[in-house]
Amino acid sequence: MKLTKELKIKIIYTSLIVILIANIWKLMYKAQFMEYDDNWGNLIVAFVIALCTNIIIALLWFKMRYIIKLCKWQTVLFFILASPITVAVVVLNYHFFFGAIIKN
């Protein structure tokens, strides 16, 4: 069975989005177990990864729009679960999401 170009794009894009979402949430979760500077470093790295991913998605929208249209549900999933706004909301409400307080 030969994979079509569209299927290859979907597989690669979906895999990357899932890996990015998992890494962002892993960084945010692990922050509760670290000391002051390290935990905020994790949260900042999660925010920067989310921000860079948003920029890449925006570039894809302007340069290769067909990829975003082909993988619209994966993109919506990313914006719901791991956008910079989501990361900021989770950080500001850390106790609600993870049941722990970030060490100061």
Side-chain angles (χ1 to χ4, degrees):
M1 179 175 157
K2 189 170 182 169
L3 296 176
T4 64
K5 181 181 176 185
E6 287 182 356
L7 187 57
K8 287 179 187 177
I9 290 172
K10 276 188 172 185
I11 291 170
I12 292 169
Y13 188 86
T14 303
S15 299
L16 289 174
I17 290 294
V18 168
I19 289 168
L20 286 167
I21 290 171
N23 280 330
I24 288 168
W25 278 91
K26 180 178 147 189
L27 284 167
M28 290 190 296
Y29 177 75
K30 284 184 146 187
Q32 65 185 317
F33 304 112
M34 299 178 156
E35 293 302 318
Y36 175 70
D37 287 342
D38 293 333
N39 62 10
W40 282 103
N42 259 21
L43 298 173
I44 290 169
V45 168
F47 183 81
V48 169
I49 291 171
L51 187 63
C52 290
T53 306
N54 264 10
I55 292 169
I56 291 169
I57 289 173
L59 290 174
L60 280 175
W61 177 254
F62 289 112
K63 299 289 183 181
M64 294 181 261
R65 190 170 295 200
Y66 70 93
I67 293 175
I68 302 299
K69 286 183 177 180
L70 184 65
C71 303
K72 59 184 168 257
W73 293 111
Q74 294 89 330
T75 306
V76 169
L77 180 70
F78 173 79
F79 286 132
I80 292 170
L81 294 177
S83 70
I85 294 170
T86 304
V87 172
V89 167
V90 169
V91 169
L92 293 174
N93 299 297
Y94 199 86
H95 181 70
F96 175 75
F97 283 96
F98 297 111
I101 298 172
I102 300 173
K103 295 177 185 173
N104 290 329

